Amino acid sequence: MTIQSSIEEKLLSAFSPLHLDVVNESNQHNVAPGSESHFKVIIVTSEFEGERLIKRHRAVNAVLAIELAEHIHALALHTYTEKEWNDYYADNTPLSPNCLGGSKKS
Amino acid sequence: MDTIERIKEQIAENSILLYMKGSPKLPSCGFSSQASQALISCEEKFAYIDILQNPDIRAELPKYANWPTFPQLWIDGELVGGCDIILEMFQQGELQTLIKESAAKNKSKQ
C-alpha cells in the first residue's frame, strides 16, 4: 500500500470525515521523483467541534504517528469543523509553500 | 547540560520563541519562512533557534513537545503550533492578540 492510501485509510476510520483530501506534494520539494515525503491533508469532521487547533493537529498526528516517524517529512494540516468549512474554507483552501531547500535529511 | 535541559531553558527564557529551519532573514524551508513572516508581521520582538544548526535539538524537541515537525512556535512556555496553525491564527487575528499580550506581560515584568 502507498503511504498516501495508508494515510487516507487511517484518517477515514479515525475521524469519519465529511471531507478528506490527502495530497502528495512531494514534487514541490527537493526529493526524488515518485517520493512520498511531503503531504497535505484537508480534513473536515464534527469531531473537531469546540477543539482548539493544537488539539485537532495533535489528534491527527497521533493517528499518523507511524507514518510521521518513518516516512513523512512534512505534513501540512488543515483541520476544520463542518461550519468552518462551509462558511469559508471550502472556497479558500490554503496552498502549501514551495521548497526552499531545507528538506534534505542531515 | 543535556539537550532537554537546554530546550526547557530556552522555552523558559524566551516568551516568544520560534524553532525553525534557517533564520527569519534566510529561512531554509517554505513552512519556516511563512511562520517567521507571520511573526514579523506581529511587530514584536521574538527569539528563534535554527534547528539545522542544532541537530541535537532537532532530534529531541519533537519528542519533548510531542509535535513531529518544524517550525514550532512557543509562547509563554506553551506550544502554540506549527506553520498551519500560526498562519490560520494570523489570518483570524488571534496570533497578533496572543503575541501582543505576551509581549506586554514581559515588558511589565522588566
Side-chain angles (χ1 to χ4, degrees), chain A residues 29 38 52-54 57-58 61 68 73-80 89 95-106, chain B residues 21 27-31 33-34 52 55 58 65-69 78-85 88-89 91-92 94 98:
Chain A
H29 297 271
H38 295 66
R52 293 179 58 196
L53 287 174
I54 184 134
H57 283 226
R58 282 202 194 279
N61 288 339
L68 280 161
H73 176 81
L75 179 64
L77 271 186
H78 304 291
T79 53
Y80 308 119
Y89 290 100
L95 297 176
S96 296
N98 283 323
C99 191
L100 296 175
S103 65
K104 237 192 257 167
K105 288 253 179 196
S106 60
Chain B
K21 291 183 175 176
S28 307
C29 156
F31 298 100
S33 170
Q34 287 191 333
L52 297 178
R58 183 183 190 177
N66 185 25
W67 192 263
T69 50
E78 239 184 87
L79 177 63
V80 173
C83 175
D84 302 313
I85 292 182
E88 201 174 316
M89 288 178 73
Q91 280 152 12
Q92 307 287 336
E94 293 168 21
L98 192 64

Short mmCIF file of all heavy atoms in Angstrom, two decimals, chain A residues 29 38 52-54 57-58 61 68 73-80 89 95-106, chain B residues 21 27-31 33-34 52 55 58 65-69 78-85 88-89 91-92 94 98:
data_model
loop_
_atom_site.label_atom_id
_atom_site.label_comp_id
_atom_site.label_asym_id
_atom_site.label_seq_id
_atom_site.Cartn_x
_atom_site.Cartn_y
_atom_site.Cartn_z
N HIS A 29 9.14 19.59 -3.82
CA HIS A 29 10.30 19.63 -2.92
C HIS A 29 11.51 18.92 -3.52
O HIS A 29 11.42 18.26 -4.54
CB HIS A 29 9.92 19.03 -1.56
CG HIS A 29 8.86 19.84 -0.88
ND1 HIS A 29 9.14 20.89 -0.06
CD2 HIS A 29 7.51 19.77 -0.97
CE1 HIS A 29 8.01 21.44 0.35
NE2 HIS A 29 7.00 20.78 -0.18
N HIS A 38 6.23 14.53 1.35
CA HIS A 38 5.54 15.75 1.74
C HIS A 38 4.06 15.62 1.39
O HIS A 38 3.71 15.41 0.22
CB HIS A 38 6.11 16.96 1.00
CG HIS A 38 7.54 17.28 1.35
ND1 HIS A 38 8.58 16.44 1.05
CD2 HIS A 38 8.08 18.36 1.98
CE1 HIS A 38 9.72 16.99 1.47
NE2 HIS A 38 9.45 18.14 2.05
N ARG A 52 -9.52 23.35 20.08
CA ARG A 52 -8.54 24.31 19.55
C ARG A 52 -7.68 23.62 18.50
O ARG A 52 -7.56 22.39 18.46
CB ARG A 52 -7.65 24.82 20.69
CG ARG A 52 -8.42 25.68 21.68
CD ARG A 52 -7.51 26.15 22.80
NE ARG A 52 -6.38 26.91 22.26
CZ ARG A 52 -5.28 27.17 22.95
NH1 ARG A 52 -5.14 26.71 24.18
NH2 ARG A 52 -4.31 27.87 22.41
N LEU A 53 -7.05 24.46 17.65
CA LEU A 53 -6.27 23.92 16.53
C LEU A 53 -5.20 22.94 17.00
O LEU A 53 -4.99 21.89 16.40
CB LEU A 53 -5.61 25.06 15.74
CG LEU A 53 -6.56 25.89 14.87
CD1 LEU A 53 -5.79 27.07 14.27
CD2 LEU A 53 -7.16 25.03 13.77
N ILE A 54 -4.51 23.30 18.08
CA ILE A 54 -3.40 22.44 18.50
C ILE A 54 -3.92 21.05 18.87
O ILE A 54 -3.30 20.04 18.57
CB ILE A 54 -2.57 23.06 19.64
CG1 ILE A 54 -1.39 22.18 19.98
CG2 ILE A 54 -3.38 23.32 20.89
CD1 ILE A 54 -0.09 22.89 20.12
N HIS A 57 -4.72 19.16 15.61
CA HIS A 57 -3.49 18.68 14.95
C HIS A 57 -2.88 17.52 15.71
O HIS A 57 -2.39 16.57 15.11
CB HIS A 57 -2.49 19.83 14.81
CG HIS A 57 -2.83 20.78 13.71
ND1 HIS A 57 -1.91 21.25 12.80
CD2 HIS A 57 -4.01 21.35 13.37
CE1 HIS A 57 -2.51 22.07 11.95
NE2 HIS A 57 -3.77 22.16 12.28
N ARG A 58 -2.90 17.62 17.04
CA ARG A 58 -2.34 16.52 17.83
C ARG A 58 -3.12 15.24 17.58
O ARG A 58 -2.53 14.16 17.54
CB ARG A 58 -2.37 16.87 19.33
CG ARG A 58 -1.27 17.83 19.77
CD ARG A 58 -1.05 17.68 21.28
NE ARG A 58 -0.26 18.74 21.87
CZ ARG A 58 1.08 18.80 21.82
NH1 ARG A 58 1.77 17.89 21.16
NH2 ARG A 58 1.71 19.79 22.42
N ASN A 61 -1.97 13.94 14.22
CA ASN A 61 -0.59 13.45 14.34
C ASN A 61 -0.55 12.09 15.05
O ASN A 61 0.25 11.22 14.70
CB ASN A 61 0.27 14.44 15.11
CG ASN A 61 0.57 15.69 14.30
OD1 ASN A 61 0.48 15.69 13.08
ND2 ASN A 61 0.91 16.78 14.98
N LEU A 68 4.46 9.43 10.33
CA LEU A 68 5.29 10.60 10.63
C LEU A 68 6.68 10.18 11.08
O LEU A 68 7.67 10.82 10.73
CB LEU A 68 4.62 11.46 11.70
CG LEU A 68 3.51 12.37 11.18
CD1 LEU A 68 2.61 12.82 12.32
CD2 LEU A 68 4.09 13.57 10.45
N HIS A 73 8.08 13.49 5.76
CA HIS A 73 8.99 14.56 6.16
C HIS A 73 8.21 15.82 6.54
O HIS A 73 8.58 16.52 7.48
CB HIS A 73 9.96 14.84 5.03
CG HIS A 73 10.87 15.98 5.32
ND1 HIS A 73 12.00 15.84 6.08
CD2 HIS A 73 10.80 17.29 4.99
CE1 HIS A 73 12.60 17.01 6.19
NE2 HIS A 73 11.88 17.91 5.55
N ALA A 74 7.16 16.11 5.77
CA ALA A 74 6.36 17.31 6.06
C ALA A 74 4.89 16.99 5.90
O ALA A 74 4.49 16.30 4.97
CB ALA A 74 6.74 18.46 5.12
N LEU A 75 4.10 17.50 6.84
CA LEU A 75 2.66 17.26 6.79
C LEU A 75 1.95 18.59 7.04
O LEU A 75 1.96 19.10 8.15
CB LEU A 75 2.27 16.23 7.86
CG LEU A 75 0.80 15.88 7.96
CD1 LEU A 75 0.31 15.21 6.69
CD2 LEU A 75 0.56 14.97 9.16
N ALA A 76 1.38 19.14 5.97
CA ALA A 76 0.57 20.35 6.13
C ALA A 76 -0.83 19.90 6.53
O ALA A 76 -1.40 19.01 5.92
CB ALA A 76 0.52 21.13 4.83
N LEU A 77 -1.36 20.52 7.59
CA LEU A 77 -2.64 20.08 8.14
C LEU A 77 -3.64 21.22 8.14
O LEU A 77 -3.37 22.29 8.67
CB LEU A 77 -2.45 19.63 9.59
CG LEU A 77 -2.08 18.18 9.85
CD1 LEU A 77 -2.08 17.93 11.35
CD2 LEU A 77 -3.06 17.26 9.15
N HIS A 78 -4.81 20.93 7.58
CA HIS A 78 -5.89 21.92 7.61
C HIS A 78 -7.12 21.23 8.16
O HIS A 78 -7.70 20.37 7.50
CB HIS A 78 -6.09 22.51 6.23
CG HIS A 78 -4.84 23.11 5.67
ND1 HIS A 78 -4.28 24.25 6.20
CD2 HIS A 78 -3.98 22.70 4.71
CE1 HIS A 78 -3.16 24.53 5.55
NE2 HIS A 78 -2.94 23.60 4.64
N THR A 79 -7.46 21.58 9.39
CA THR A 79 -8.46 20.83 10.14
C THR A 79 -9.66 21.71 10.44
O THR A 79 -9.54 22.72 11.12
CB THR A 79 -7.84 20.37 11.48
OG1 THR A 79 -7.30 21.52 12.14
CG2 THR A 79 -6.72 19.36 11.26
N TYR A 80 -10.82 21.34 9.93
CA TYR A 80 -11.98 22.21 10.06
C TYR A 80 -13.21 21.47 10.58
O TYR A 80 -13.36 20.26 10.36
CB TYR A 80 -12.33 22.83 8.70
CG TYR A 80 -11.18 23.50 8.02
CD1 TYR A 80 -10.73 23.08 6.78
CD2 TYR A 80 -10.52 24.56 8.64
CE1 TYR A 80 -9.65 23.69 6.15
CE2 TYR A 80 -9.44 25.18 8.02
CZ TYR A 80 -9.01 24.74 6.78
OH TYR A 80 -7.95 25.34 6.17
N TYR A 89 -13.68 27.88 4.27
CA TYR A 89 -12.51 27.20 3.73
C TYR A 89 -12.78 26.34 2.50
O TYR A 89 -11.87 26.06 1.73
CB TYR A 89 -11.82 26.38 4.83
CG TYR A 89 -11.15 27.27 5.85
CD1 TYR A 89 -11.76 27.54 7.07
CD2 TYR A 89 -9.94 27.88 5.56
CE1 TYR A 89 -11.15 28.39 7.99
CE2 TYR A 89 -9.33 28.72 6.46
CZ TYR A 89 -9.94 28.98 7.68
OH TYR A 89 -9.34 29.81 8.58
N LEU A 95 -2.89 26.99 0.23
CA LEU A 95 -1.82 26.36 -0.56
C LEU A 95 -0.59 26.18 0.31
O LEU A 95 -0.34 26.97 1.20
CB LEU A 95 -1.46 27.25 -1.75
CG LEU A 95 -2.57 27.48 -2.77
CD1 LEU A 95 -2.08 28.46 -3.85
CD2 LEU A 95 -3.01 26.17 -3.41
N SER A 96 0.18 25.14 0.03
CA SER A 96 1.43 24.94 0.75
C SER A 96 2.55 25.73 0.08
O SER A 96 2.51 25.97 -1.12
CB SER A 96 1.81 23.46 0.75
OG SER A 96 0.86 22.71 1.45
N PRO A 97 3.55 26.12 0.89
CA PRO A 97 4.66 26.89 0.32
C PRO A 97 5.56 26.00 -0.53
O PRO A 97 5.60 24.79 -0.35
CB PRO A 97 5.41 27.37 1.55
CG PRO A 97 5.13 26.35 2.59
CD PRO A 97 3.72 25.87 2.33
N ASN A 98 6.29 26.62 -1.43
CA ASN A 98 7.29 25.87 -2.18
C ASN A 98 8.52 25.64 -1.33
O ASN A 98 8.75 26.30 -0.33
CB ASN A 98 7.66 26.61 -3.46
CG ASN A 98 6.60 26.46 -4.51
OD1 ASN A 98 5.99 25.40 -4.65
ND2 ASN A 98 6.33 27.54 -5.23
N CYS A 99 9.32 24.69 -1.78
CA CYS A 99 10.51 24.31 -1.05
C CYS A 99 11.56 25.41 -1.09
O CYS A 99 11.68 26.13 -2.07
CB CYS A 99 11.10 23.08 -1.71
SG CYS A 99 12.38 22.30 -0.77
N LEU A 100 12.34 25.54 0.01
CA LEU A 100 13.49 26.43 -0.01
C LEU A 100 14.77 25.64 0.19
O LEU A 100 15.81 26.18 0.51
CB LEU A 100 13.35 27.51 1.07
CG LEU A 100 12.17 28.47 0.90
CD1 LEU A 100 12.07 29.41 2.08
CD2 LEU A 100 12.32 29.29 -0.38
N GLY A 101 14.69 24.34 0.05
CA GLY A 101 15.89 23.51 0.09
C GLY A 101 16.16 22.80 1.38
O GLY A 101 17.03 21.94 1.46
N GLY A 102 15.41 23.11 2.45
CA GLY A 102 15.74 22.59 3.78
C GLY A 102 15.26 21.18 4.04
O GLY A 102 15.38 20.69 5.15
N SER A 103 14.71 20.50 3.02
CA SER A 103 14.14 19.19 3.30
C SER A 103 15.15 18.07 3.22
O SER A 103 14.85 16.93 3.48
CB SER A 103 12.98 18.90 2.34
OG SER A 103 13.44 18.80 1.03
N LYS A 104 16.37 18.42 2.85
CA LYS A 104 17.40 17.39 2.80
C LYS A 104 17.67 16.87 4.20
O LYS A 104 17.87 17.65 5.12
CB LYS A 104 18.70 17.97 2.22
CG LYS A 104 19.18 17.18 1.00
CD LYS A 104 20.57 17.59 0.64
CE LYS A 104 20.55 18.53 -0.55
NZ LYS A 104 21.83 19.20 -0.75
N LYS A 105 17.65 15.55 4.38
CA LYS A 105 17.93 15.00 5.71
C LYS A 105 19.39 15.23 6.03
O LYS A 105 20.26 14.97 5.21
CB LYS A 105 17.65 13.49 5.72
CG LYS A 105 16.17 13.17 5.67
CD LYS A 105 15.69 12.66 7.02
CE LYS A 105 14.20 12.39 6.90
NZ LYS A 105 13.52 12.24 8.14
N SER A 106 19.64 15.71 7.26
CA SER A 106 21.04 15.95 7.58
C SER A 106 21.64 14.71 8.23
O SER A 106 20.93 13.85 8.68
CB SER A 106 21.16 17.14 8.54
OG SER A 106 20.46 16.87 9.73
N LYS B 21 13.77 26.17 10.59
CA LYS B 21 14.91 25.81 9.74
C LYS B 21 15.44 27.08 9.09
O LYS B 21 14.73 27.74 8.34
CB LYS B 21 14.46 24.83 8.65
CG LYS B 21 14.10 23.46 9.22
CD LYS B 21 13.74 22.50 8.11
CE LYS B 21 13.51 21.12 8.68
NZ LYS B 21 13.07 20.17 7.63
N PRO B 27 15.41 31.89 5.70
CA PRO B 27 14.79 30.61 6.06
C PRO B 27 15.16 29.51 5.06
O PRO B 27 15.35 29.79 3.88
CB PRO B 27 13.29 30.92 6.01
CG PRO B 27 13.16 32.14 5.16
CD PRO B 27 14.45 32.89 5.25
N SER B 28 15.29 28.27 5.54
CA SER B 28 15.68 27.17 4.66
C SER B 28 14.51 26.27 4.32
O SER B 28 14.72 25.16 3.82
CB SER B 28 16.75 26.31 5.33
OG SER B 28 17.80 27.10 5.75
N CYS B 29 13.31 26.69 4.63
CA CYS B 29 12.15 25.83 4.40
C CYS B 29 10.94 26.73 4.22
O CYS B 29 10.83 27.76 4.90
CB CYS B 29 11.98 24.90 5.60
SG CYS B 29 10.33 24.27 5.86
N GLY B 30 10.08 26.38 3.29
CA GLY B 30 8.91 27.21 2.99
C GLY B 30 8.00 27.40 4.19
O GLY B 30 7.44 28.47 4.41
N PHE B 31 7.86 26.35 4.99
CA PHE B 31 6.99 26.43 6.15
C PHE B 31 7.59 27.35 7.22
O PHE B 31 6.89 28.17 7.81
CB PHE B 31 6.74 25.03 6.74
CG PHE B 31 6.04 24.10 5.78
CD1 PHE B 31 6.74 23.16 5.05
CD2 PHE B 31 4.66 24.17 5.60
CE1 PHE B 31 6.11 22.31 4.17
CE2 PHE B 31 4.01 23.32 4.72
CZ PHE B 31 4.73 22.39 3.99
N SER B 33 9.62 29.74 6.61
CA SER B 33 9.59 31.08 6.04
C SER B 33 8.23 31.74 6.31
O SER B 33 8.14 32.87 6.78
CB SER B 33 9.86 30.99 4.54
OG SER B 33 9.60 32.22 3.93
N GLN B 34 7.15 31.01 6.03
CA GLN B 34 5.81 31.56 6.24
C GLN B 34 5.57 31.85 7.72
O GLN B 34 4.98 32.88 8.08
CB GLN B 34 4.76 30.56 5.76
CG GLN B 34 4.69 30.47 4.25
CD GLN B 34 3.46 29.69 3.78
OE1 GLN B 34 2.96 28.83 4.50
NE2 GLN B 34 2.98 30.00 2.60
N LEU B 52 18.62 23.56 12.14
CA LEU B 52 19.62 22.97 11.24
C LEU B 52 21.02 23.13 11.83
O LEU B 52 21.92 22.33 11.55
CB LEU B 52 19.54 23.60 9.84
CG LEU B 52 18.22 23.38 9.09
CD1 LEU B 52 18.24 24.10 7.75
CD2 LEU B 52 17.94 21.90 8.89
N PRO B 55 21.49 20.08 15.61
CA PRO B 55 20.92 18.77 15.31
C PRO B 55 20.41 18.03 16.55
O PRO B 55 19.47 17.25 16.46
CB PRO B 55 22.08 18.00 14.67
CG PRO B 55 23.28 18.86 14.78
CD PRO B 55 22.86 20.24 15.12
N ARG B 58 17.01 19.40 17.13
CA ARG B 58 16.15 18.88 16.07
C ARG B 58 15.71 17.45 16.39
O ARG B 58 14.58 17.06 16.13
CB ARG B 58 16.91 18.90 14.74
CG ARG B 58 16.07 18.44 13.58
CD ARG B 58 16.89 18.39 12.29
NE ARG B 58 16.03 18.16 11.15
CZ ARG B 58 16.46 18.14 9.90
NH1 ARG B 58 17.74 18.33 9.63
NH2 ARG B 58 15.63 17.92 8.92
N ALA B 65 8.16 17.84 22.86
CA ALA B 65 6.96 18.63 22.58
C ALA B 65 5.78 17.75 22.18
O ALA B 65 4.66 18.24 22.12
CB ALA B 65 7.27 19.62 21.44
N ASN B 66 6.03 16.49 21.88
CA ASN B 66 5.03 15.64 21.27
C ASN B 66 4.46 16.31 20.03
O ASN B 66 3.26 16.40 19.82
CB ASN B 66 3.93 15.28 22.29
CG ASN B 66 2.94 14.29 21.71
OD1 ASN B 66 3.27 13.52 20.80
ND2 ASN B 66 1.72 14.30 22.21
N TRP B 67 5.36 16.80 19.22
CA TRP B 67 4.99 17.51 17.99
C TRP B 67 6.04 17.13 16.94
O TRP B 67 7.23 17.38 17.14
CB TRP B 67 4.99 19.02 18.23
CG TRP B 67 4.36 19.78 17.12
CD1 TRP B 67 4.99 20.39 16.07
CD2 TRP B 67 2.97 20.00 16.92
NE1 TRP B 67 4.07 20.97 15.25
CE2 TRP B 67 2.82 20.74 15.75
CE3 TRP B 67 1.81 19.62 17.63
CZ2 TRP B 67 1.58 21.13 15.25
CZ3 TRP B 67 0.59 20.01 17.14
CH2 TRP B 67 0.48 20.76 15.97
N PRO B 68 5.61 16.51 15.83
CA PRO B 68 6.60 15.83 14.99
C PRO B 68 7.41 16.71 14.04
O PRO B 68 8.42 16.25 13.51
CB PRO B 68 5.72 14.86 14.17
CG PRO B 68 4.37 15.51 14.13
CD PRO B 68 4.23 16.29 15.40
N THR B 69 6.97 17.95 13.81
CA THR B 69 7.59 18.71 12.72
C THR B 69 8.04 20.10 13.16
O THR B 69 7.74 20.55 14.26
CB THR B 69 6.58 18.88 11.56
OG1 THR B 69 5.35 19.39 12.10
CG2 THR B 69 6.32 17.57 10.85
N GLU B 78 4.38 27.59 26.32
CA GLU B 78 3.42 26.62 25.77
C GLU B 78 3.54 26.52 24.26
O GLU B 78 3.70 27.54 23.58
CB GLU B 78 2.01 27.09 26.11
CG GLU B 78 1.22 26.08 26.93
CD GLU B 78 -0.19 26.56 27.16
OE1 GLU B 78 -1.02 26.28 26.29
OE2 GLU B 78 -0.42 27.24 28.18
N LEU B 79 3.44 25.31 23.74
CA LEU B 79 3.46 25.14 22.30
C LEU B 79 2.15 25.64 21.70
O LEU B 79 1.07 25.18 22.07
CB LEU B 79 3.66 23.66 21.94
CG LEU B 79 3.63 23.32 20.45
CD1 LEU B 79 4.78 24.00 19.70
CD2 LEU B 79 3.68 21.81 20.23
N VAL B 80 2.28 26.61 20.78
CA VAL B 80 1.09 27.13 20.09
C VAL B 80 0.78 26.26 18.88
O VAL B 80 -0.37 25.92 18.61
CB VAL B 80 1.32 28.60 19.66
CG1 VAL B 80 0.17 29.10 18.81
CG2 VAL B 80 1.50 29.47 20.89
N GLY B 81 1.82 25.88 18.14
CA GLY B 81 1.61 25.00 16.99
C GLY B 81 2.66 25.19 15.93
O GLY B 81 3.67 25.87 16.14
N GLY B 82 2.42 24.58 14.77
CA GLY B 82 3.32 24.68 13.64
C GLY B 82 2.84 25.70 12.63
O GLY B 82 1.97 26.53 12.93
N CYS B 83 3.39 25.61 11.43
CA CYS B 83 3.13 26.63 10.41
C CYS B 83 1.64 26.83 10.11
O CYS B 83 1.16 27.95 10.06
CB CYS B 83 3.86 26.22 9.12
SG CYS B 83 3.52 27.28 7.73
N ASP B 84 0.90 25.74 9.94
CA ASP B 84 -0.50 25.89 9.54
C ASP B 84 -1.32 26.58 10.62
O ASP B 84 -2.18 27.40 10.33
CB ASP B 84 -1.12 24.52 9.25
CG ASP B 84 -0.36 23.78 8.16
OD1 ASP B 84 -0.07 24.41 7.13
OD2 ASP B 84 -0.02 22.60 8.35
N ILE B 85 -1.02 26.23 11.88
CA ILE B 85 -1.75 26.86 12.99
C ILE B 85 -1.38 28.33 13.09
O ILE B 85 -2.24 29.20 13.25
CB ILE B 85 -1.44 26.11 14.32
CG1 ILE B 85 -2.07 24.72 14.27
CG2 ILE B 85 -1.94 26.91 15.52
CD1 ILE B 85 -1.88 23.89 15.52
N GLU B 88 -3.11 30.20 10.27
CA GLU B 88 -4.56 30.30 10.43
C GLU B 88 -4.90 31.30 11.55
O GLU B 88 -5.81 32.11 11.41
CB GLU B 88 -5.15 28.92 10.73
CG GLU B 88 -6.63 28.88 10.40
CD GLU B 88 -7.23 27.49 10.55
OE1 GLU B 88 -6.60 26.52 10.10
OE2 GLU B 88 -8.33 27.40 11.12
N MET B 89 -4.13 31.23 12.65
CA MET B 89 -4.37 32.18 13.74
C MET B 89 -4.06 33.61 13.29
O MET B 89 -4.75 34.55 13.68
CB MET B 89 -3.50 31.82 14.95
CG MET B 89 -3.97 30.57 15.67
SD MET B 89 -2.89 30.15 17.05
CE MET B 89 -3.35 31.43 18.23
N GLN B 91 -4.36 34.81 10.22
CA GLN B 91 -5.45 35.27 9.36
C GLN B 91 -6.69 35.65 10.16
O GLN B 91 -7.45 36.53 9.76
CB GLN B 91 -5.79 34.19 8.33
CG GLN B 91 -4.80 34.19 7.16
CD GLN B 91 -4.65 32.82 6.52
OE1 GLN B 91 -5.42 31.90 6.79
NE2 GLN B 91 -3.65 32.68 5.65
N GLN B 92 -6.88 34.97 11.30
CA GLN B 92 -8.05 35.27 12.13
C GLN B 92 -7.77 36.43 13.11
O GLN B 92 -8.65 36.82 13.86
CB GLN B 92 -8.44 34.05 12.97
CG GLN B 92 -8.65 32.78 12.19
CD GLN B 92 -9.94 32.79 11.38
OE1 GLN B 92 -10.86 33.51 11.72
NE2 GLN B 92 -9.98 32.01 10.32
N GLU B 94 -5.89 36.17 15.66
CA GLU B 94 -5.66 35.64 17.01
C GLU B 94 -4.19 35.65 17.39
O GLU B 94 -3.83 35.82 18.55
CB GLU B 94 -6.17 34.19 17.11
CG GLU B 94 -7.66 34.06 16.99
CD GLU B 94 -8.08 32.60 16.80
OE1 GLU B 94 -7.30 31.69 17.14
OE2 GLU B 94 -9.19 32.38 16.28
N LEU B 98 -2.39 37.24 20.77
CA LEU B 98 -1.58 36.40 21.65
C LEU B 98 -0.17 36.98 21.83
O LEU B 98 0.37 37.06 22.95
CB LEU B 98 -1.51 35.00 21.04
CG LEU B 98 -0.97 33.87 21.88
CD1 LEU B 98 -1.87 33.63 23.09
CD2 LEU B 98 -0.89 32.58 21.04
#
